[in-house]
């Protein structure tokens, strides 16, 4: 036993990580096989139950069983399908960011329309985003909720990573807020209530989003909210590290002019700079809770702080800590007790003001600490029917003319991101060949396994995931 311990301690970190990767891969492979078998059995039992309820004759039952078996076979065939860029036709660029872009695409064999998130591998590696992208893919695979954007496939080639997700033609909350000066309290109640349910749905899965902001609140064809962009569910972007914003001059704040503006001019300045911040690698710290910056430990309550900031922006026209520079915004967030003020020229109800202050306060006193019911029962949400909120009309109707309508998105020029631009970086050449993998995230039930799975990706990331759903 002593010899074994000595041998184990003498193993290099690289070897230990490879062993861990193999262990987790095997565990998930067999757990996934068991889960697939149980799902098939459940579908078969459901079919038998429905046929009994309908009182079908034996011959009709036989035909139904035969049809069901063919569907199961087709489903298994689809799970083994290896997809690539050639299976999709690019229609239009509908989003662009620091690490890639989002395109509206159409699957050639079915005609189905999707949103394809394209991420440049070289940029992911340079900005240390590999683990974040894997985290995003993982939660999209695990989450099967009305409140989370669905992901159907993922794959990669030598230059890019591709996430194939459902297309939500309503655009995002950032675009909606930039079209409006402010939202009414009725509309704000609707969107905040839906976002509460959306955030709670991922909290129930054991995830913390940590990047709740209007850009990541997408709107479906009926105008209802869905959460997206889970790249910060693990790890911290460079822009979210405290030291990035601590590079402040010890002189007076740099946005004295901004501070002296009235609310209307602040809102105009914010909108003018907002889109540039959304597309930059720096981003904006406006919506990030102070405890996340401190890195002394935080929990899911940090998402409720972000929601309070969004609620303030909906009602006032700009977020409470906005400034001319991200560094100054960071300073304001960290000094929120002095900087969180409500402009008298934009009156809002006491119920709304109270809820914002309950969201944006000390972590130990923040609403939601006792559970989501504490938030749902707040007086601001009086009259909200949470059980049927997605069935009612949205506060602001969305006009959709066709399945590929992009009128709720900004116009973007085409790019050469899908065109090979050179040799793959040496550090990425070992992951260049496309290899299919099984969707096994639903078997990861503990934080330890989740962490190990992320480590395995950093060493040798799986390269293709298909996630078809049985019909």
């Amino acid at each position: 036993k002593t010899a074994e311990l000595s041998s184990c301690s003498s193993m290099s970190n690289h070897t230990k990580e490879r062993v861990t990767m193999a262990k987790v891969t095997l565990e998930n492979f067999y757990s996934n096989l068991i889960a697939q078998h149980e799902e098939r059995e459940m579908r078969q039992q459901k079919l038998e139950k429905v046929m009994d309820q309908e009182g079908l004759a034996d011959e009709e039952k036989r035909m139904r069983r035969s049809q069901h078996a063919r569907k199961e076979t087709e489903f298994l065939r689809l799970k083994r399908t290896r997809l690539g860029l050639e299976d999709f036709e690019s229609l239009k660029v509908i989003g662009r960011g620091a690490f890639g872009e989002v395109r509206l695409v159409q699957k050639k064999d079915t005609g189905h329309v999707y949103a394809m998130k394209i991420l440049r591998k070289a940029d992911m590696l340079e900005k240390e985003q590999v683990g974040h992208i894997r985290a995003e893919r993982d939660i999209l695979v695990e989450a099967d909720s009305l409140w989370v954007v669905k992901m159907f496939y993922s794959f990669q080639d030598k230059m890019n990573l591709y996430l194939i997700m459902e297309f939500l033609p309503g655009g995002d909350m950032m675009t909606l807020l930039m079209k409006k000066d402010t939202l009414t309290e009725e509309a704000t109640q609707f969107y905040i209530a839906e976002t509460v349910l959306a955030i709670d749905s991922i909290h129930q899965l054991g995830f913390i989003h940590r990047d709740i902001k209007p850009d990541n609140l997408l709107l479906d064809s009926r105008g209802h909210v869905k959460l997206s962009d889970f790249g910060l569910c693990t790890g911290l972007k460079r822009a979210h590290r405290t030291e990035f914003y601590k590079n402040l001059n010890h002189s007076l704040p740099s946005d004295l002019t901004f501070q002296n503006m009235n609310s209307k001019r602040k809102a105009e300045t914010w909108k003018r700079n907002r889109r540039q911040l959304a597309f930059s690698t720096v981003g904006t710290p406006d919506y990030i809770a102070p405890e996340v910056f401190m890195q002394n430990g935080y929990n899911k309550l940090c998402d409720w702080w972000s929601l309070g900031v969004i609620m303030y922006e909906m009602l006032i026209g700009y977020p409470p800590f906005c400034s001319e520079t991200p560094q100054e915004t960071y300073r304001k967030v960290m000094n929120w007790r002095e900087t969180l003020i409500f402009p008298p020229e934009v009156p809002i109800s006491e119920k709304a003001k109270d809820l914002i202050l309950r969201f944006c306060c000390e972590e130990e006193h923040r609403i939601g600490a006792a559970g989501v019911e504490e938030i749902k029962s707040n007086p601001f949400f009086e009259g909200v029917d949470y059980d049927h909120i997605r069935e009612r009309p949205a506060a602001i109707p969305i006009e959709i003319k066709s399945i590929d309508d992009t009128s709720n998105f900004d116009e973007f020029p085409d790019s050469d991101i899908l065109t090979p631009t050179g040799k793959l970086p040496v550090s990425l050449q070992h992951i260049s060949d496309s290899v299919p993998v099984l969707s096994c995230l639903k078997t990861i039930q503990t934080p330890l396994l989740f962490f190990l799975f992320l480590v395995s990706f950093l060493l040798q990331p799986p390269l293709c995931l298909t996630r078809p759903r049985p019909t």
Side-chain angles (χ1 to χ4, degrees), residues 270-331:
W270 168 250
K271 289 180 180 180
R272 188 167 58 248
N273 298 331
R274 180 65 170 87
R275 206 167 293 282
Q276 182 179 353
L277 285 170
F279 301 153
S280 72
T281 56
V282 173
T284 172
D286 279 272
Y287 308 94
I288 303 170
E291 65 265 22
V292 175
F293 286 122
M294 295 301 294
Q295 297 189 33
N296 292 328
Y298 53 87
N299 54 35
K300 63 185 180 182
L301 295 177
C302 67
D303 287 339
W304 300 130
W305 168 286
S306 303
L307 187 57
V309 175
I310 294 173
M311 182 175 171
Y312 183 107
E313 182 177 356
M314 287 178 174
L315 294 171
I316 304 299
Y318 54 87
F321 311 110
C322 66
S323 300
E324 291 186 330
T325 66
Q327 289 83 0
E328 183 59 25
T329 298
Y330 162 79
R331 189 191 67 82

Side-chain angles (χ1 to χ4, degrees), residues 172-175 177 195 199 209-218 225-229 232 237 239-240 245 270 274 277-288 302-303 305-307 309-311 313-314 319:
D172 60 45
M173 185 60 63
M174 179 186 76
T175 303
L177 291 177
T195 308
I199 292 173
H209 193 290
R210 298 197 316 173
D211 200 23
I212 300 292
K213 57 186 178 181
D215 321 46
N216 296 336
L217 303 182
L218 302 189
V225 168
K226 286 201 175 191
L227 274 181
S228 73
D229 202 348
L232 280 183
K237 284 184 180 177
H240 289 199
Y245 292 106
W270 168 250
R274 180 65 170 87
L277 285 170
F279 301 153
S280 72
T281 56
V282 173
T284 172
D286 279 272
Y287 308 94
I288 303 170
C302 67
D303 287 339
W305 168 286
S306 303
L307 187 57
V309 175
I310 294 173
M311 182 175 171
E313 182 177 356
M314 287 178 174

Side-chain angles (χ1 to χ4, degrees), residues 44-274:
Q44 184 68 41
Q45 291 171 11
K46 184 178 179 180
L47 173 66
E48 296 293 334
K49 184 177 179 180
V50 169
M51 291 193 298
D52 289 340
Q53 290 174 346
E54 294 178 358
L56 299 180
D58 290 343
E59 181 61 22
E60 288 183 273
K61 286 184 177 181
R62 187 190 64 80
M63 292 178 63
R64 283 275 192 98
R65 291 187 187 107
S66 177
Q67 185 181 29
H68 178 79
R70 285 196 298 271
K71 284 187 176 181
E72 289 287 354
T73 301
E74 176 65 12
F75 177 54
L76 290 174
R77 185 190 67 80
L78 284 172
K79 286 183 73 69
R80 294 191 296 267
T81 301
R82 180 179 299 187
L83 291 178
L85 193 59
E86 65 278 2
D87 295 298
F88 298 89
E89 179 184 356
S90 177
L91 303 179
K92 187 178 182 180
V93 178
I94 58 175
R96 185 159 288 147
F99 307 109
E101 64 187 30
V102 180
R103 291 187 176 221
L104 182 68
V105 299
Q106 189 168 31
K107 199 163 184 286
K108 293 179 180 178
D109 60 347
T110 64
H112 292 165
V113 172
Y114 300 98
M116 174 188 282
K117 189 171 185 177
I118 307 168
L119 300 157
R120 291 181 294 265
K121 285 185 183 179
D123 289 345
M124 293 298 100
L125 189 69
E126 180 184 353
K127 303 296 183 182
E128 299 178 352
Q129 295 295 297
V130 176
H132 307 144
I133 299 308
R134 178 56 180 271
E136 176 172 18
R137 198 206 75 170
D138 290 353
I139 192 172
L140 289 173
V141 169
E142 183 161 352
D144 191 5
S145 165
L146 291 172
W147 300 107
V148 174
V149 177
K150 289 183 176 65
M151 186 185 74
F152 296 94
Y153 313 98
S154 72
F155 54 88
Q156 65 180 292
D157 57 25
K158 289 188 175 183
M159 304 306 297
N160 302 314
L161 305 175
Y162 304 91
L163 303 180
I164 309 298
M165 300 177 291
E166 67 174 319
F167 170 56
L168 298 181
D172 60 45
M173 185 60 63
M174 179 186 76
T175 303
L176 180 64
L177 291 177
M178 290 183 69
K179 289 179 181 177
K180 309 282 184 180
D181 288 331
T182 57
L183 299 186
T184 64
E185 292 208 7
E186 182 182 7
T188 300
Q189 181 200 62
F190 171 81
Y191 290 119
I192 296 299
E194 288 212 332
T195 308
V196 166
L197 296 178
I199 292 173
D200 182 56
S201 72
I202 65 167
H203 286 177
Q204 290 182 28
L205 290 173
F207 291 98
I208 306 172
H209 193 290
R210 298 197 316 173
D211 200 23
I212 300 292
K213 57 186 178 181
D215 321 46
N216 296 336
L217 303 182
L218 302 189
L219 303 175
D220 65 15
S221 59
R222 296 177 57 244
H224 291 273
V225 168
K226 286 201 175 191
L227 274 181
S228 73
D229 202 348
F230 297 88
L232 280 183
C233 278
T234 61
L236 284 170
K237 284 184 180 177
R238 175 174 173 264
H240 289 199
R241 292 177 186 158
T242 308
E243 61 268 21
F244 178 72
Y245 292 106
K246 280 186 175 177
N247 184 24
L248 306 175
N249 295 324
H250 295 289
S251 57
L252 292 173
S254 60
D255 66 339
L256 288 175
T257 304
F258 187 88
Q259 291 177 14
N260 294 328
M261 293 179 184
N262 60 30
S263 295
K264 185 177 180 180
R265 289 194 61 196
K266 278 187 178 180
E268 291 172 351
T269 303
W270 168 250
K271 289 180 180 180
R272 188 167 58 248
N273 298 331
R274 180 65 170 87

